Amino acid sequence: MKVVHTIEELRDQLRGQNRTSFVPTMGNLHEGHLALMKLAHQHGDPVVASIFVNRLQFGPNEDFDKYPRTLQDDIDKLQKQNHVYVLFAPNERELYPEPQNYRVSPPHDLGDILEGEFRPGFFVGVTTVVLKLFSCVQPKVAVFGKKDYQQLMIVRNMCRQFALPTEVVPHETVRNGDGLALSSRNRYLSEPERKEAPRLYRLLNEVKDRIRAGEHDSVRVEHDAQRELAAAGWKVDYVSVRRQRDLKAPERAEVEAGEPLVVLAAAKLGPTRLIDNLEI
Ligand code: PAF
C-alpha cells in the first residue's frame, strides 16, 4: 500500500485507472471501516482510502481537537488487511487552499433536519469535503456506511445533482455483539456508559417491532422511545421515524400502507453523542 499526502502523488498513482473504488474516512479505523474497504475491493480496483479529519464538518463546541488521530495504527491495519492500494492522507492546506470560499450546500429539506438541525453546518462540511475528495480520486464507486444514514443519502443526492460519475454503494452498519454500532466515538465512553450504550439499538428495534406489529402512530412510538432513553439518563436529540426515500415524516396512512421507513436516533450518554438508525 502506498501512502500519499499530495494530490499530485495521488494522481501519479492512479494514472490510467478507471475502475477505482474509494472509501473516505476520518481515520481511527475500526472493523466497520475495514468492512467498507472489503466491499470497495469487491466493487473496483484499485481501492483508494482517505484519512482526513475535516475541520469544516465540526461545530465550534465539537470534538475536532480531540478527535483521535492514529495514522500509523491505521496504516498498519490497512496494510494487514491488504485491500487498499493507495491511502490518501492530505493535509489541510492541500485540500483547502487559501482563500477557501467554496462550499457545497445540501438542500435545506435534507441538510437541515435531524443531524443537520443539531449540528448546524455539519452537512455543508461533509458534502464540501466529499466533493473535493471525489475530485481528487475520481472514483467509479464510493462506499459509505449506513450508520451515517443521512450522510449517505445526501452524498448520493449530491452525486445525482452534480452528475458525478461515481456510484455510491452502501454498507450495512457493523455492530458489536451487544448491538452497539461501531464508531470511533465509542472510545470516549466510560465503562458504565459502554454497558448502557446498547440500549439505543434495543430501542430502535422496539420501534421497528411496534410499527411492524401494526402500531401506525409513529409519533407516539417515537415519544415512548425518547422517554425511555431520557429515563435511563440519556440526553436525547431525536428519535424519529422517517420515510426512507426522502427522510420526511410519514403520514399515518403511509405507515399503514407499509411505506419503507427508517428510525433514526441521536442522543448523548454523558459527554458522548451517539447516533444510530434502523430500517423498517
Ligand atoms: O463519515 C465520515 O467519516 C466523514 O463524514 C467523511 C465522509 C469521511 C467526510 O469527512
Side-chain angles (χ1 to χ4, degrees):
M1 184 179 77
K2 308 269 186 316
V3 182
V4 301
H5 298 283
T6 67
I7 298 170
E8 196 183 341
E9 289 171 292
L10 176 72
R11 295 237 160 103
D12 276 350
Q13 290 298 329
L14 295 179
R15 193 150 293 126
Q17 304 286 358
N18 58 12
R19 292 185 53 240
T20 303
S21 59
F22 178 44
V23 184
T25 80
M26 297 207 298
N28 194 234
L29 304 181
H30 50 63
E31 287 303 318
H33 294 111
L34 296 180
L36 303 184
M37 308 298 166
K38 188 169 173 199
L39 187 62
H41 192 241
Q42 288 160 10
H43 278 270
D45 183 41
V47 177
V48 177
S50 67
I51 293 182
F52 180 69
V53 184
N54 177 37
R55 187 190 298 271
L56 195 61
Q57 71 190 71
F58 287 79
N61 299 319
E62 293 185 354
D63 55 347
F64 175 75
D65 287 329
K66 74 171 184 130
Y67 199 85
R69 287 154 174 90
T70 50
L71 185 61
Q72 191 52 52
D73 204 42
D74 294 341
I75 291 173
D76 294 345
K77 284 182 184 159
L78 292 176
Q79 244 150 6
K80 196 159 160 225
Q81 190 198 26
N82 206 20
H83 286 329
V84 172
Y85 176 69
V86 182
L87 172 64
F88 180 42
N91 61 43
E92 204 167 50
R93 276 262 164 82
E94 180 78 354
L95 222 47
Y96 288 97
E98 298 283 341
Q100 161 68 21
N101 298 317
Y102 295 89
R103 298 276 191 281
V104 183
S105 292
H108 295 302
D109 60 351
L110 206 51
D112 293 349
I113 58 168
L114 303 166
E115 282 303 279
E117 184 186 336
F118 289 90
R119 302 182 69 188
F122 171 66
F123 286 117
V124 173
V126 169
T127 45
T128 301
V129 81
V130 170
L131 185 62
K132 282 168 181 272
L133 290 166
F134 280 10
S135 168
C136 298
V137 177
Q138 308 201 350
K140 194 163 158 6
V141 166
V143 179
F144 284 79
K146 277 196 185 176
K147 162 141 187 303
D148 296 295
Y149 201 86
Q150 191 177 2
Q151 168 174 282
L152 165 68
M153 197 143 173
I154 286 175
V155 169
R156 264 212 178 123
N157 189 277
M158 177 182 77
C159 289
R160 201 167 52 240
Q161 290 292 330
F162 288 109
L164 302 182
T166 300
E167 182 197 350
V168 175
V169 172
H171 192 290
E172 288 304 325
T173 302
V174 181
R175 300 182 180 281
N176 283 292
D178 58 9
L180 178 66
L182 298 195
S183 161
S184 301
R185 291 191 168 102
N186 292 351
R187 60 150 58 190
Y188 301 150
L189 296 169
S190 67
E191 214 179 298
E193 286 166 353
R194 175 62 191 82
K195 281 206 182 102
E196 169 62 21
R199 184 188 301 274
L200 188 60
Y201 183 56
R202 278 204 306 276
L203 271 174
L204 295 180
N205 274 290
E206 271 177 44
V207 170
K208 175 176 172 169
D209 291 347
R210 281 179 67 182
I211 288 180
R212 275 200 166 164
E215 167 74 72
H216 297 138
D217 185 349
S218 55
V219 175
R220 184 161 70 196
V221 182
E222 288 169 0
H223 284 162
D224 289 348
Q226 286 165 11
R227 245 196 326 270
E228 227 180 286
L229 272 179
W234 296 62
K235 190 178 159 299
V236 184
D237 282 350
Y238 59 86
V239 177
S240 195
V241 175
R242 299 293 169 115
R243 303 195 301 214
Q244 282 182 25
R245 63 188 146 108
D246 55 9
L247 295 187
K248 292 203 180 358
E251 301 288 340
R252 192 189 162 100
E254 290 175 315
V255 181
E256 267 174 35
E259 168 82 29
L261 301 171
V262 54
V263 52
L264 306 104
K268 265 184 158 177
L269 192 53
T272 309
R273 189 170 180 277
L274 300 178
I275 64 168
D276 203 350
N277 65 79
L278 190 62
E279 287 177 329
I280 305 175

Short mmCIF file of all heavy atoms in Angstrom, two decimals, residues 48 72 75 121 124 128 132 142 152 154 161 164 170 179-180 228 247 267:
data_model
loop_
_atom_site.label_atom_id
_atom_site.label_comp_id
_atom_site.label_asym_id
_atom_site.label_seq_id
_atom_site.Cartn_x
_atom_site.Cartn_y
_atom_site.Cartn_z
N VAL A 48 -8.90 3.00 -3.17
CA VAL A 48 -8.26 4.14 -2.50
C VAL A 48 -9.02 4.41 -1.21
O VAL A 48 -10.25 4.41 -1.20
CB VAL A 48 -8.31 5.41 -3.39
CG1 VAL A 48 -7.71 6.61 -2.66
CG2 VAL A 48 -7.58 5.16 -4.70
N GLN A 72 -0.48 6.06 12.09
CA GLN A 72 0.39 4.89 11.93
C GLN A 72 -0.36 3.59 12.22
O GLN A 72 -0.22 2.60 11.50
CB GLN A 72 1.64 5.00 12.82
CG GLN A 72 2.71 3.96 12.50
CD GLN A 72 3.07 3.90 11.00
OE1 GLN A 72 3.39 4.91 10.38
NE2 GLN A 72 2.98 2.70 10.40
N ILE A 75 -2.54 2.85 9.26
CA ILE A 75 -1.73 2.31 8.15
C ILE A 75 -1.47 0.82 8.40
O ILE A 75 -1.64 -0.01 7.51
CB ILE A 75 -0.40 3.09 8.00
CG1 ILE A 75 -0.69 4.52 7.52
CG2 ILE A 75 0.56 2.38 7.06
CD1 ILE A 75 0.53 5.44 7.49
N GLY A 121 -24.36 23.21 9.96
CA GLY A 121 -23.15 23.31 9.14
C GLY A 121 -22.47 21.98 8.90
O GLY A 121 -21.58 21.86 8.05
N VAL A 124 -22.81 20.69 5.26
CA VAL A 124 -22.06 21.53 4.32
C VAL A 124 -20.59 21.09 4.36
O VAL A 124 -19.92 20.96 3.33
CB VAL A 124 -22.20 23.03 4.68
CG1 VAL A 124 -21.27 23.88 3.81
CG2 VAL A 124 -23.64 23.48 4.53
N THR A 128 -18.90 19.31 1.11
CA THR A 128 -17.77 20.05 0.54
C THR A 128 -16.53 19.16 0.48
O THR A 128 -15.87 19.06 -0.56
CB THR A 128 -17.49 21.33 1.37
OG1 THR A 128 -18.66 22.14 1.37
CG2 THR A 128 -16.34 22.12 0.80
N LYS A 132 -14.60 17.46 -2.85
CA LYS A 132 -13.16 17.68 -3.07
C LYS A 132 -12.43 16.34 -3.21
O LYS A 132 -11.59 16.15 -4.10
CB LYS A 132 -12.55 18.45 -1.89
CG LYS A 132 -12.84 19.95 -1.91
CD LYS A 132 -12.46 20.57 -0.57
CE LYS A 132 -12.76 22.06 -0.54
NZ LYS A 132 -11.64 22.88 -1.05
N ALA A 142 -17.95 4.63 -4.69
CA ALA A 142 -17.53 5.05 -3.35
C ALA A 142 -18.43 4.35 -2.35
O ALA A 142 -19.64 4.24 -2.54
CB ALA A 142 -17.64 6.56 -3.20
N LEU A 152 -25.18 9.35 3.94
CA LEU A 152 -25.20 8.50 2.74
C LEU A 152 -26.21 9.05 1.72
O LEU A 152 -25.92 9.17 0.52
CB LEU A 152 -25.57 7.08 3.18
CG LEU A 152 -25.99 6.08 2.13
CD1 LEU A 152 -24.83 5.73 1.24
CD2 LEU A 152 -26.53 4.80 2.79
N ILE A 154 -27.42 12.11 1.50
CA ILE A 154 -27.04 13.43 1.00
C ILE A 154 -25.92 13.30 -0.04
O ILE A 154 -25.92 13.97 -1.07
CB ILE A 154 -26.65 14.35 2.18
CG1 ILE A 154 -27.94 14.77 2.91
CG2 ILE A 154 -25.86 15.56 1.72
CD1 ILE A 154 -27.72 15.58 4.17
N GLN A 161 -27.20 15.32 -8.36
CA GLN A 161 -27.37 16.74 -8.71
C GLN A 161 -26.21 17.26 -9.57
O GLN A 161 -26.40 18.07 -10.45
CB GLN A 161 -27.46 17.59 -7.43
CG GLN A 161 -28.73 17.39 -6.64
CD GLN A 161 -29.96 17.90 -7.37
OE1 GLN A 161 -29.87 18.85 -8.13
NE2 GLN A 161 -31.09 17.25 -7.14
N LEU A 164 -22.16 13.47 -11.04
CA LEU A 164 -20.83 12.89 -10.82
C LEU A 164 -20.84 11.44 -11.28
O LEU A 164 -21.83 10.73 -11.06
CB LEU A 164 -20.45 12.96 -9.33
CG LEU A 164 -20.44 14.32 -8.68
CD1 LEU A 164 -20.00 14.22 -7.22
CD2 LEU A 164 -19.52 15.28 -9.43
N PRO A 170 -23.85 1.49 -0.51
CA PRO A 170 -23.99 1.47 0.96
C PRO A 170 -23.47 0.19 1.57
O PRO A 170 -23.48 -0.87 0.94
CB PRO A 170 -25.51 1.56 1.15
CG PRO A 170 -26.10 0.95 -0.08
CD PRO A 170 -25.10 1.11 -1.20
N GLY A 179 -24.90 -5.19 19.99
CA GLY A 179 -25.72 -4.33 19.14
C GLY A 179 -25.19 -2.92 18.95
O GLY A 179 -25.60 -2.22 18.04
N LEU A 180 -24.26 -2.50 19.81
CA LEU A 180 -23.75 -1.12 19.66
C LEU A 180 -23.03 -0.96 18.32
O LEU A 180 -22.13 -1.73 17.98
CB LEU A 180 -22.79 -0.79 20.82
CG LEU A 180 -22.15 0.60 20.74
CD1 LEU A 180 -23.19 1.70 20.91
CD2 LEU A 180 -21.05 0.74 21.79
N GLU A 228 -38.10 6.68 27.21
CA GLU A 228 -37.33 5.57 27.79
C GLU A 228 -35.83 5.89 27.85
O GLU A 228 -35.16 5.59 28.85
CB GLU A 228 -37.56 4.31 26.95
CG GLU A 228 -37.87 3.09 27.82
CD GLU A 228 -38.09 1.85 27.00
OE1 GLU A 228 -39.15 1.72 26.37
OE2 GLU A 228 -37.17 1.00 26.97
N LEU A 247 -36.48 11.02 3.83
CA LEU A 247 -36.32 11.38 5.25
C LEU A 247 -37.38 12.36 5.75
O LEU A 247 -37.16 13.10 6.71
CB LEU A 247 -34.91 11.92 5.54
CG LEU A 247 -33.76 10.93 5.35
CD1 LEU A 247 -32.44 11.53 5.82
CD2 LEU A 247 -34.02 9.62 6.11
N ALA A 267 -28.43 10.69 20.56
CA ALA A 267 -28.57 11.01 21.98
C ALA A 267 -27.19 11.00 22.62
O ALA A 267 -26.27 10.32 22.15
CB ALA A 267 -29.49 10.02 22.66
#
